[in-house]
Amino acid sequence: MSVKNQPNKKRRVGVMLPVPLGETYDYALPAGVSELPEGTFVRVPFGRRFLTGVVWRSSLPDEGRVAEAKLKEIAEICPFSPMSEENRRFVEWVARYTMSATGAVLKMAMSIDEVFSGVGDADGVVRNEGALPPDGFRMTAARAKLLEVAGAVPETAAELARRAGVSAGGVKALAEAGLLRKEKIVSERFETPDPSFGGVVLNGEQAVAADVLKAKVGAGFSVTLLDGVTGSGKTEVYFEAAAETLESGRQVLVLLPEIGLTGQWVDRFKRRFGAEPALWHSDMGAKKRRETWKGVLDGRIRVLAGARSALFLPFPDLGLIIVDEEHDASYKQEDGVIYHARDMAVVRAKQSGIPIVLSSATPSLETVVNVENGRYDTAVLRGRYGAARMPDIHLIDMRRDPPQDAVGLKSFLSPVLLERVKTTLERGEQSLLFLNRRGYAPLVLCRKCGYRFQCVHCSAWLVEHRDGRRLECHHCGYSVPAPDVCPVCGEADSLTSCGPGVERISEEIQARFPDARRLVVTSDVTASPERLNEVMRKIRDKEADVIIGTQILAKGHHFPELTLVGVVDADLGLAGGDLRAGERTFQMLHQVAGRAGRADKAGIVLMQTYDPENAVISALASGETNAFLHAEAETREMLRMPPFGRMAALIVSAEDRDRAERAAAALGRTAPVGEDMRVLGPAPAPLALLRGKHRFRLLLQTARNIRIQDVLARWVGSAELPPSVRVKIDIDPYSFF
Ligand code: ADP
Ligand code: ZN
């Protein structure tokens, strides 16, 4: 090649890819393109495949990390709006805070790769049902494959080919032969919510709260706690702030716990805004996901309600974030990028200079402390809406009124509670028995030799499920058919179920009240939102008299005929070393108690406990929420626990126990020391074996003014760990197993 013909140097940009890497990759602009704005979505060759990424840096020095000769070119510029600067800065912030790769966070913002296949093309193909191949048509293997996977929903040739795993070459021939038919790909329509459509007439305190929230809209960054008892109308109140934001032309994001995205919430939204809200949750198909993602990006979607991952959708013009049930534990993501959606939502609001509303009947201690030190504002609803009153809460001291076994029946319900179920049945009203444990019994053992059934992958007992006749690990899903004889001593009829799960409580109710219609509600029976909706409808339409359920029933739902809530084991969840065990139990029981007496009929709550003096239990009974929170806050402050100090967990795991232990010990030896920091551990994790991995934990605590990420980066970064050992960093840990 002569020097004269040397082409001009290619212009390069830095592209962030949705893979767990922190750095951008160099790519050359396609021929004829002189510039690409930052945020542009592009498709690029990466190894042997193509990936969609985002232009992160629009210009780079000529000599990047890739030699000119090896520099690959951007293959395609995706035809939709760029990802806004705000969204990109948010991705970077979350990556830094959680100590994850920027690409891993970007992946959450791009949801799934299918979002990008075939976008922009308006022409699609569908199978032409009933058409036969014309004479002389050559049905090659590739063409047959294309025809086989083609469906009734139009898709691009490229997408069809991708699904069929062959090249797109045959699509044209199939279309010409009349076996495929062309059809336009229509973008999904999203209804536009109308801020002045309808809605309820707010009562006095609701109107005051709504005014507080409305005043925040358009006035820059603020955090407001909407603090109101269950049934006080928080949803109706925050809808007013959403309406105000819609009036101003900006988008609204409502985060809900996964389970909150049910028909009831959607129905109320429709009544207020005259349109369906766009939804985002884990149970959506790829097409819906893609359309919703695009609808958010190009602004067709004005209000989106979603589970925690909705926070990473590329809103170009967000004006308000609402976090419903802000205390809910499901906002913490525990795998992959470990983050707390409520906390990150506050950051998103701050970066974008917009208001955020945190709504709860039992706000988290973190939020309460922020209110007390003046960082967050509040809007308070003290009473239930309308004639509904808060239920009376009574404790049943199980030492004084213990369950009475009957012939062939081990009892778990005190006569006091059973009597109340009886009178509730007689009145034709509904009871809810709450026990946060799926299955029949949490443990099965052999009475003869003492053998206990344990998971082979986890240090956990296997839970007996009679419905399905199997023993199941609730940590990894491992399951075996329920055995008839002890696998160790071979004795028949020696296996005993220990303790109750919801199925066993249902069995007791059946034995005691054979005519009562029972309904067991757990995540086992409500796998999809549709099925959950169906269960909720059954309860509302009074197709069940006694409902036995786990925490899935604790949240948000409104059952007018439900007047008795019985908590089977109020002490469950209080044991163990979890720093939030008390707070979490308090929130859950308070929430479930709030299911009783939601309409004009008075409700009552009975809680079975062996420890009525416990601070959590007695606060629930006396209704002294504030006293409880203050006591919690004092303890945490004394121990320098969050929110008064910072905390991060290191989980060291490996298939080989020795290796994990040695690596954890090595980290322990190099642990940072200082006046305002300390390291606890290493110690075997409470779940020392999980999904086949041996686990050790270390806990780093620092003062609030220390950047804990920097400390961790120096510490973990300098450790030499064998590749078979994994160290997971969890900033602000919520789970301690
Ligand atoms: P929270 O979220 O605080 O538990 P909700 O917003 O679910 O309370 O309200 C409880 C019930 O009362 C719902 O059925 C709601 O529609 C109804 N409600 C609340 N406020 C009003 C109002 N101002 N007018 C009519 N119904 C209301
Ligand atoms: Zn297991």
Side-chain angles (χ1 to χ4, degrees), residues 329 578 580-589 628 734-736:
D578 188 330
R580 291 186 184 81
E583 185 189 355
R584 212 146 33 194
T585 303
F586 182 87
Q587 287 161 345
M588 188 192 301
L589 295 184
F628 167 72
Y734 273 66
S735 92
F736 291 81

Side-chain angles (χ1 to χ4, degrees), residues 200-203 206 228-238 264 268 271 324-325 359 361 381 385-386 556 558 595 598:
V200 297
V201 179
L202 299 182
N203 67 22
Q206 290 176 338
V229 298
T230 50
S232 57
K234 296 187 288 297
T235 315
E236 311 292 347
V237 169
Y238 70 59
Q264 246 178 58
R268 284 166 68 182
R271 256 178 276 142
D324 201 348
E325 311 281 8
S359 173
L381 301 174
Y385 172 75
H558 189 64
R595 294 314 106 207
R598 299 269 300 199

Side-chain angles (χ1 to χ4, degrees), residues 196-503:
S196 54
F197 178 81
V200 297
V201 179
L202 299 182
N203 67 22
E205 67 169 4
Q206 290 176 338
V208 172
D211 284 343
V212 170
L213 300 186
K214 274 153 63 181
K216 307 282 181 187
V217 173
F221 169 65
S222 63
V223 188
T224 310
L225 169 65
L226 176 57
D227 180 1
V229 298
T230 50
S232 57
K234 296 187 288 297
T235 315
E236 311 292 347
V237 169
Y238 70 59
F239 277 168
E240 295 313 304
E244 185 83 4
T245 310
L246 286 174
E247 299 272 11
S248 76
R250 304 186 77 183
Q251 293 171 297
V252 179
L253 165 64
V254 185
L255 293 178
L256 295 162
E258 182 95 20
I259 223 67
L261 289 162
T262 53
Q264 246 178 58
W265 192 92
V266 170
D267 287 346
R268 284 166 68 182
F269 185 90
K270 278 196 276 196
R271 256 178 276 142
R272 175 63 186 83
F273 295 102
E276 293 269 349
L279 298 178
W280 186 262
H281 54 79
S282 57
D283 196 47
M284 298 164 79
K287 176 163 190 283
K288 191 87 193 169
R289 233 165 222 279
R290 169 169 66 208
E291 289 296 322
T292 305
W293 188 92
K294 283 196 296 173
V296 168
L297 180 68
D298 62 24
R300 272 175 301 146
I301 291 179
R302 309 311 299 163
V303 180
L304 180 126
R308 63 180 180 230
S309 60
L311 180 61
F312 292 93
L313 288 171
F315 293 91
D317 190 22
L318 200 53
L320 172 69
I321 303 176
I322 294 158
V323 184
D324 201 348
E325 311 281 8
E326 68 92 27
H327 63 277
D328 197 278
S330 72
Y331 285 124
K332 182 77 196 280
Q333 169 152 311
E334 300 283 359
D335 321 299
V337 177
I338 303 177
Y339 68 93
H340 199 297
R342 176 202 59 220
D343 297 347
M344 296 304 111
V346 172
V347 172
R348 174 77 162 89
K350 187 162 187 201
Q351 283 186 331
S352 305
I354 58 170
I356 177 168
V357 176
L358 309 178
S359 173
S360 176
T362 52
S364 64
L365 193 64
E366 276 78 0
T367 297
V368 169
V369 169
N370 276 321
V371 168
E372 276 174 8
N373 63 27
R375 279 201 271 185
Y376 294 1
D377 283 338
T378 43
V380 183
L381 301 174
R382 296 188 191 284
R384 282 198 158 173
Y385 172 75
R389 292 289 153 262
M390 289 305 281
D392 284 331
I393 300 182
H394 299 281
L395 301 182
I396 298 175
D397 185 339
M398 297 291 269
R399 299 164 306 185
R400 232 179 40 210
D401 296 304
Q404 312 283 313
D405 291 350
V407 183
L409 177 75
K410 172 104 185 95
S411 176
F412 297 95
L413 304 174
S414 160
V416 182
L417 179 54
L418 287 168
E419 180 57 30
R420 198 74 199 198
V421 173
K422 182 159 164 269
T423 53
T424 307
L425 279 168
E426 283 163 2
R427 268 195 254 132
E429 295 168 4
Q430 286 175 313
S431 307
L432 164 64
L433 298 181
F434 173 80
L435 176 61
N436 202 19
R437 196 190 273 135
R438 296 187 289 125
Y440 184 83
L443 166 68
V444 177
L445 58 76
C446 171
R447 248 178 298 130
K448 180 139 180 278
C449 73
Y451 175 75
R452 295 164 173 225
F453 286 85
Q454 194 177 347
C455 178
V456 293
H457 309 294
C458 308
S459 30
W461 308 128
L462 292 178
V463 178
E464 180 182 11
H465 287 250
R466 290 254 165 121
D467 183 14
R469 295 192 45 77
R470 63 193 199 283
L471 304 184
E472 186 187 298
C473 173
H474 283 185
H475 296 284
C476 72
Y478 169 80
S479 105
V480 290
D484 299 321
V485 299
C486 174
V488 174
C489 70
E491 184 79 4
D493 298 327
S494 71
L495 299 177
T496 314
S497 312
C498 298
V502 283
E503 291 178 10

Side-chain angles (χ1 to χ4, degrees), residues 22 37 55 142 164 218 243 335 387 424 522 527 619 697 708:
V55 174
D335 321 299
T424 307
T522 68
R697 295 181 61 101
I708 201 166

